[in-house]
């Protein structure tokens, strides 16, 4: 009966089609996706890549080896060579390609789909019975190659699941009305006040006075330094204020009770807490290609009766338009610069002409190092500030420069001085007018400094209420001076767009529809399909996010945790930080706590004083690794449990980096000779003193042997009194052998001192050599 194929196979096919509800009649009618350009999609603008479908990769279909070949039982085995000819004929027909386009399968997907379908048919021993019967019919001359299309379409939807849910994906990534994302804020009658003015105009001062007088308030700033300054000043003024940054929480109340006022970095802004007054500083950073979304979120989402925003005048028009989308009015208060700023007629030309109060602004670390060394070679002390330095080091360098009794009168800095530091600068000197910038694609570009950045930096000269109340600005090179005059004579271009970024909830919805896509791929698809109101918004750069997502893609993590890891503030150009990021993720995936002991081993604690610039740069990277630990500790406290201990050694590292920066010229010389000017004994002595100071707690315990770290280790059960006594005896014996003095009861050093490795050792690791 099987040999008399055609009549029997027609009966079988009719039966199978009724079961699978797939027939030739559906061809050209079933459309899972409206083809771009059809009337239903006319007028819709999709931002992103033109050819969106190249972001989708096919999912391999793996047949089960246990499948029963029902088709072969019904119609017999298929001739693979003849079947290949049929499939090639099918894939080359123009009518089939047209039907593909009608079903949302463009030329890019078609190529991949035909290859996948051909491979599937030839490699699978047990094809689905309905497909097997159809192919058998065609091979016996009882069917047409077009009959394959419904089964091909079914296969394509299996390997490209987005075809079934493209409309849903586009709805999720519709970002045209972000104001509606914050219903609580929209339910309030908010008063929005824009304090508009240049640098040193007092705009932030007036906003902060309202903040301090309010019953409750939140300050949102671009930097930890600014948030810390507001936290300190508020508490000094008698207004209890907490500090919230990505890496730190501080409460004004000793018992940890939250205060009514909060100073935070803008990314940490709570949009679920009601306030009387909110202050959003440096509002022009709405345009920032990396972080602009955070200012947009704060401006649209804060639940405050009064929203005070401070920034450049060029932001006013954009804020007005944003307020129209929230149905709120905007009150603009204009301020003028409080001190005059003069552009000098002569460039500096030589570092011999550097004067007290000068700040030379460079846009690269190499220039920072070269200029610092040249100035100190002329017998003048220099303070150095750049973005990679820890906050404590920046403040120490600023204090050194500002101190009228300090011999340091010259500052060499990057544009990191543009905000966050109060500096007593008389004259700003642009060492160059070319500055590296990052475009929206995440690509580095070299271009003339923008009007906004030039005004921000130049405006740091002549600070109101400080030593120099008249400011001056010039360039180092004579040929740059006309460019500077031209730039400072302009007003910044008005802002036209505010940044947006997909939320974790949006990406989770994407993952639900595309369960086999990687997080990096999900983000790419989201950006590509996103619909944005170009007149008001742009999609922020996601390259850093995708880089981190690809770094940990092979690490098994829940999607939400993976997303949080990829939001970590990391400089991807620092290999050591990236490698530690990966190690953190691996330990998290294995549910292994990232302990203080493990971290010390990875980072090389105890830290040594830097001998060369390379050492200094590495210590800066280690500081960022500790920062990353603290950032993660507030999001995953169970697996990053030693926040207090890590913060302690971070303070120690900040001190060491400060010492390195204070003698930066010596580090530069050592980098050339690769020889330290300190003898090993001197280095060892300095480290011993620092470690002793770190461990020691004045007046604690008999003989001072139980310093703050020892007490913590005892409290955590990582150290027992018996282990402590044993370690003390070992240390005493080693000290006698080396002839470096005893460690008796009157010695103030912690027993962990004396050249041993770090604390935090668990049982079984008592001996530390």
């Amino acid at each position: 009966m099987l040999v008399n194929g055609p009549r029997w196979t027609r009966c079988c096919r009719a039966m199978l089609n009724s079961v699978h509800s797939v027939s030739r009649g559906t061809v050209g009618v079933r459309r899972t996706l409206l083809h771009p350009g059809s009337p239903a999609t006319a007028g819709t603008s999709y931002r992103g890549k033109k050819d969106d479908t190249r972001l989708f990769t096919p999912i391999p279909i793996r047949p089960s080896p246990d499948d029963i070949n029902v088709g072969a039982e019904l119609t017999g085995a298929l001739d693979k060579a003849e079947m290949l000819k049929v499939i090639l004929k099918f894939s080359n027909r123009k009518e089939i390609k047209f039907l593909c386009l009608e079903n949302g399968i463009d030329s890019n997907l078609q190529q991949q789909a035909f290859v996948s379908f051909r491979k599937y048919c030839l490699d699978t021993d047990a094809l689905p019975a309905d497909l097997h019967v159809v192919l058998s019919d065609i091979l016996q001359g009882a069917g047409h190659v077009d009959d394959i299309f419904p089964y091909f379409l079914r296969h394509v939807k299996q390997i490209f699941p987005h075809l079934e849910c493209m409309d849903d994906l586009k709805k999720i990534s519709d970002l045209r009305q972000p104001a509606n994302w914050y219903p609580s804020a929209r339910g309030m009658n908010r008063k929005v006040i824009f304090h508009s003015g240049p640098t040193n105009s007092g705009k932030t001062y007036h906003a902060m006075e309202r903040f301090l007088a309010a019953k409750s308030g939140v300050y949102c700033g671009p930097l930890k330094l600014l948030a810390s300054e507001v936290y300190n000043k508020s508490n000094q003024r008698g207004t209890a204020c907490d500090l919230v940054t990505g890496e730190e929480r501080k409460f004004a109340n000793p018992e940890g009770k939250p205060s009514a006022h909060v100073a935070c970095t803008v990314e940490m802004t709570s949009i679920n807490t009601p306030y009387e007054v909110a202050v959003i500083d440096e509002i022009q950073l709405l345009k920032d290609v990396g972080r602009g979304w955070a200012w947009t979120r704060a401006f649209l989402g804060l639940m405050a009766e009064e929203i005070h925003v401070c920034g450049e005048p060029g932001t006013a028009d954009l804020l007005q338009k944003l307020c129209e989308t929230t149905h709120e009015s905007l009150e603009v208060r204009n301020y003028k610069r409080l001190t005059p700023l003069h552009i000098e007629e002569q460039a500096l030309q030589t570092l011999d002409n550097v004067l007290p109060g000068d700040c030379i602004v460079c846009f690269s670390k190499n220039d920072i190092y070269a200029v610092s060394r040249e100035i100190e070679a002329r017998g003048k002390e220099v303070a150095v500030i750049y973005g990679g330095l820890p906050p404590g080091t920046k403040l120490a360098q600023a204090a050194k420069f500002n101190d009228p009794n300090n011999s340091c009168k010259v500052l060499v800095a990057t544009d990191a001085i543009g905000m966050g530091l109060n500096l007593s600068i008389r004259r700003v000197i642009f060492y160059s007018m070319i500055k590296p910038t990052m475009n929206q694609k995440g690509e580095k570009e070299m271009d003339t400094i923008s009007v906004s950045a030039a005004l921000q930096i130049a405006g740091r000269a002549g600070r109101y209420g400080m030593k120099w109340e008249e400011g001056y600005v010039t360039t180092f090179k004579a040929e740059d001076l006309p460019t500077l005059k031209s730039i400072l004579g302009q007003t910044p271009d008005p802002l036209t767009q505010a940044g947006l970024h997909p939320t974790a909830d949006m990406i989770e919805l994407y993952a639900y529809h595309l369960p086999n896509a990687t997080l990096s791929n999900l983000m790419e698809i989201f950006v590509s399909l996103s619909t944005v109101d170009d007149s008001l918004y742009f999609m922020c750069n996601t390259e850093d996010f995708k880089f981190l997502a690809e770094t940990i893609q092979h690490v098994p993590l829940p999607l939400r945790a993976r997303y949080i890891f990829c939001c970590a503030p990391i400089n991807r150009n620092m290999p050591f930080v990236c490698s530690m990021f990966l190690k953190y993720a691996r330990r998290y995936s294995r549910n292994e706590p990232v302990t203080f002991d493990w971290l010390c081993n990875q980072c090389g604690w105890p830290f040594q004083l830097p001998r060369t610039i390379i050492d200094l740069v590495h210590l800066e990277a280690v500081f960022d690794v500790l920062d990353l630990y603290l950032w993660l500790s507030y999001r995953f406290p169970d697996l990053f449990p030693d926040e207090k201990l890590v913060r302690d050694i971070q303070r120690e590292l900040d001190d060491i980096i400060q010492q390195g920066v204070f003698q930066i010229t010596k580090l530069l010389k050592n980098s050339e000779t690769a020889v330290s000017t300190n003898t090993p004994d001197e280095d060892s002595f300095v480290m011993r003193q620092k470690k002793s100071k770190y461990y020691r707690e004045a007046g604690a315990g008999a003989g001072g042997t139980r310093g703050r770290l020892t007490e913590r280790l005892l409290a955590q059960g990582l150290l027992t009194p018996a282990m402590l006594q044993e370690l003390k005896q070992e240390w005493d014996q080693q000290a006698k052998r080396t002839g470096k003095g005893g460690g008796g009861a009157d010695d103030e050093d912690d027993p962990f001192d004396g050249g041993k490795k770090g604390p935090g050792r668990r049982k079984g690791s008592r001996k530390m050599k």
Side-chain angles (χ1 to χ4, degrees):
M1 183 168 62
L2 292 176
V3 178
N4 299 325
R7 182 181 299 173
W8 170 248
T9 55
R10 277 196 292 273
C11 294
C12 290
R13 189 174 65 179
M15 180 174 61
L16 289 166
N17 282 343
S18 67
V19 174
H20 291 283
S21 67
V22 179
S23 69
R24 280 175 288 175
T26 62
V27 176
V29 178
R30 293 181 62 195
R31 295 188 176 98
T32 58
L33 174 69
L34 284 169
H35 181 60
S38 63
T41 60
T44 303
S45 171
Y46 292 99
R47 287 185 52 77
K49 298 182 175 76
K50 237 179 180 181
D51 188 5
D52 299 331
T53 57
R54 62 182 173 172
L55 298 176
F56 298 94
T57 54
I59 299 170
I61 304 299
R62 296 182 176 86
S64 170
D66 299 327
D67 287 345
I68 300 173
N69 197 346
V70 177
E73 293 182 6
L74 294 173
T75 65
L78 299 174
D79 186 327
K80 297 284 186 177
E82 293 299 318
M83 184 171 62
L84 175 60
K85 294 178 183 178
V86 169
I87 295 172
L88 289 174
K89 183 179 179 181
F90 165 79
S91 60
N92 288 324
R93 284 179 56 78
K94 292 182 179 178
E95 294 84 352
I96 295 300
K97 293 180 179 179
F98 177 77
L99 287 174
C100 286
L101 290 173
E102 286 291 298
N103 283 272
I105 309 169
D106 67 9
S107 58
N108 181 56
L109 294 184
Q110 283 178 37
Q111 183 181 6
Q112 299 180 74
F114 285 134
V115 171
S116 175
F117 183 69
R118 182 172 70 244
K119 188 175 187 302
Y120 174 73
C121 290
L122 295 176
D123 294 350
T124 304
D125 294 329
L127 287 172
D130 51 359
L131 175 58
H132 187 106
V133 169
V134 168
L135 289 171
S136 178
D137 271 3
I138 297 170
L139 290 173
Q140 297 183 50
H144 192 276
V145 291
D146 290 352
D147 295 348
I148 299 174
F149 185 78
Y151 310 98
F152 169 76
L153 185 61
R154 180 177 66 191
H155 178 82
V156 174
K157 289 177 180 177
Q158 284 181 296
I159 65 172
F160 292 117
H162 74 276
L163 292 173
E164 293 277 42
C165 59
M166 182 64 86
D167 289 340
D168 290 336
L169 295 178
K170 288 183 176 179
K171 285 177 183 177
I172 296 167
S173 55
D174 187 343
L175 309 181
R176 287 174 292 183
Q177 296 179 322
N180 295 342
W181 301 351
Y182 311 102
S184 298
R186 299 293 75 79
M188 299 180 68
N189 183 23
R190 305 191 312 173
K191 181 180 179 181
V192 185
I193 301 164
F194 177 36
H195 299 266
S196 170
T199 305
N200 196 20
S201 61
K203 56 185 182 296
T204 306
Y205 168 81
H206 289 90
M208 289 306 302
E209 287 298 304
R210 181 68 189 93
F211 167 84
L212 294 170
K215 294 178 182 177
S216 63
V218 58
Y219 167 85
C220 313
L223 300 172
K224 287 184 282 187
L225 282 175
L226 283 170
S228 297
E229 183 181 7
V230 170
Y231 162 79
N232 291 325
K233 287 187 175 180
S234 296
N235 287 301
Q236 289 168 7
R237 291 271 298 268
T239 300
C241 180
D242 297 338
L243 174 68
V244 177
T245 70
E247 300 80 17
E248 189 172 15
R249 309 288 187 277
K250 284 185 180 179
F251 295 96
N253 187 304
E255 299 176 359
K257 182 181 178 182
S259 304
H261 289 71
V262 178
C264 64
T265 45
V266 66
E267 285 87 352
M268 300 303 297
T269 303
S270 170
I271 57 171
N272 301 314
T273 306
Y275 299 101
E276 182 182 348
V277 170
V279 176
I280 308 175
D281 207 359
E282 306 293 351
I283 190 63
Q284 71 275 3
L285 292 177
L286 281 164
K287 66 181 179 182
D288 187 88
V289 296
R291 300 175 65 202
W293 63 269
W295 276 264
T296 306
R297 172 178 172 273
F299 184 78
L300 297 177
L302 270 167
M303 296 172 58
E305 298 171 22
E306 293 181 23
I307 307 286
H308 291 258
V309 291
C310 310
E312 295 176 356
T315 319
D317 290 344
L318 177 59
L319 293 179
Q320 182 63 58
K321 292 177 182 177
L322 293 179
C323 284
E324 290 172 7
T325 68
T326 61
H327 306 290
E328 296 165 338
S329 60
L330 178 69
E331 177 186 339
V332 180
R333 299 179 185 176
N334 294 302
Y335 300 84
K336 294 183 178 180
R337 184 176 166 87
L338 298 174
T339 58
L341 180 64
H342 309 286
I343 304 175
E344 294 189 338
E345 294 300 323
Q346 299 292 327
L348 191 71
Q349 294 188 320
T350 172
L351 295 176
D352 293 330
N353 296 328
V354 169
L355 299 173
D358 280 353
C359 172
I360 302 177
V361 177
C362 308
F363 295 122
S364 77
K365 270 191 180 181
N366 287 336
D367 286 344
I368 288 274
Y369 299 150
V371 171
S372 301
R373 184 170 183 178
E374 287 295 320
I375 293 175
E376 292 206 341
R378 289 163 169 77
K380 297 176 181 177
E381 198 172 341
V382 175
V384 176
I385 296 175
Y386 52 87
L389 293 176
T393 303
K394 288 178 185 174
L395 290 173
Q397 291 289 299
K400 173 184 174 182
F401 175 71
N402 289 338
D403 185 357
N405 298 320
N406 195 294
S407 58
C408 174
K409 304 298 181 186
V410 179
L411 176 64
V412 180
T414 62
D415 53 343
I417 65 164
M419 60 184 73
L421 291 168
N422 289 318
L423 297 164
S424 182
I425 299 172
R426 174 185 172 273
R427 179 172 61 172
V428 167
I429 301 159
F430 285 89
Y431 192 69
S432 170
M433 297 301 293
I434 304 297
K435 181 180 184 296
T437 57
M438 199 72 71
N439 63 24
Q440 289 190 23
K441 296 179 181 179
E443 300 165 340
K444 199 171 186 180
E445 297 177 342
M446 302 296 291
D447 201 358
T448 304
I449 187 172
S450 68
V451 175
S452 174
L455 289 170
Q456 185 84 17
I457 296 168
R460 305 299 290 177
R463 197 81 176 159
Y464 180 77
M466 301 192 81
K467 181 178 180 180
W468 313 103
E469 294 203 355
E470 284 197 31
Y472 298 86
V473 59
T474 187
T475 60
F476 180 76
K477 301 172 186 173
E479 58 266 29
D480 287 340
L481 191 55
T483 304
L484 177 66
K485 289 181 177 180
S486 172
I487 290 175
L488 295 184
Q490 303 173 41
T491 55
D493 293 334
L495 269 64
T496 57
Q497 294 176 315
L500 295 175
H501 193 277
T503 64
D505 291 336
M506 294 174 181
I507 298 299
E508 278 189 336
L509 284 172
Y510 256 54
Y512 171 78
H513 289 292
L514 304 172
N516 294 288
T518 66
L519 180 56
S520 175
N521 192 221
L522 288 174
M523 182 62 77
E524 277 191 308
I525 296 169
F526 185 99
V527 172
S528 180
L529 297 180
S530 62
T531 312
V532 180
D533 182 353
D534 291 348
S535 66
L536 287 177
Y537 302 103
F538 70 93
M539 181 65 72
C540 282
N541 174 262
T542 59
E543 292 305 310
D544 285 347
F545 183 97
K546 290 190 291 185
F547 172 82
L548 296 180
E550 290 165 3
T551 300
I552 60 172
Q553 179 52 45
H554 62 288
V555 180
L557 291 169
L559 180 67
R560 177 68 68 153
R562 189 181 299 277
Y563 182 93
I564 292 173
F565 264 88
C566 294
C567 289
I570 291 177
N571 182 351
R572 58 175 171 161
N573 295 319
M574 301 178 75
F576 180 65
V577 180
C578 294
S579 67
M580 287 299 297
F581 169 76
L582 177 58
K583 290 179 181 181
Y584 285 158
R586 282 175 177 160
R587 289 187 70 88
Y588 180 91
S589 72
R590 297 193 294 261
N591 204 34
E592 297 175 359
V594 185
T595 62
F596 178 72
D597 182 54
W598 178 88
L599 185 60
C600 285
N601 288 332
Q602 296 294 320
C603 293
W605 191 90
F607 307 118
Q608 300 291 327
L609 285 170
R611 300 179 180 182
T612 66
I613 285 294
I614 295 175
D615 293 343
L616 180 62
V617 170
H618 176 69
L619 290 179
E620 291 168 10
V622 173
F623 189 93
D624 286 351
V625 167
L626 301 181
D627 244 4
L628 176 59
Y629 182 99
L630 296 173
W631 191 89
L632 292 167
S633 73
Y634 285 107
R635 289 146 183 88
F636 308 110
D638 291 344
L639 292 178
F640 293 83
D642 294 331
E643 173 263 330
K644 291 182 179 179
L645 293 172
V646 172
R647 195 173 298 284
D648 281 345
I649 66 167
Q650 192 184 45
R651 292 193 193 101
E652 174 193 341
L653 179 56
D654 198 339
D655 291 340
I656 291 173
I657 292 174
Q658 284 182 40
Q659 293 183 49
V661 174
F662 279 136
Q663 51 181 345
I664 197 165
T665 298
K666 185 169 74 172
L667 299 186
L668 288 165
K669 291 178 181 177
N670 291 344
S671 297
E672 294 176 357
T673 61
V675 176
S676 172
T677 53
N678 287 338
T679 67
D681 287 342
E682 289 174 332
D683 286 341
S684 175
F685 174 77
V686 172
M687 284 307 302
R688 279 176 52 80
Q689 291 301 312
K690 289 191 65 58
K691 286 163 62 184
S692 297
K693 179 182 178 183
Y694 173 66
Y695 289 129
R696 190 165 56 243
E697 185 177 51
T705 58
R706 293 193 179 184
R708 54 180 177 172
L709 187 53
T710 305
E711 293 289 355
R712 285 181 190 164
L713 296 173
L714 288 167
Q716 292 177 11
L718 302 177
L719 189 66
T720 66
M723 290 170 62
L724 178 62
Q725 186 60 34
E726 182 180 338
L727 287 167
K728 185 73 169 63
Q729 292 172 359
E730 283 186 27
W731 183 74
D732 287 343
Q733 291 169 4
Q734 183 178 354
K736 290 175 182 177
R737 285 196 304 269
T738 57
K740 291 185 178 179
D746 296 331
D747 196 315
E748 291 186 344
D749 284 348
D750 190 285
F752 286 111
D753 195 6
K756 298 175 177 58
K757 279 195 174 179
R761 298 284 183 183
R762 299 186 185 276
K763 289 183 179 181
S765 299
R766 296 183 182 181
K767 208 161 188 177
M768 305 180 197
K769 292 185 178 178

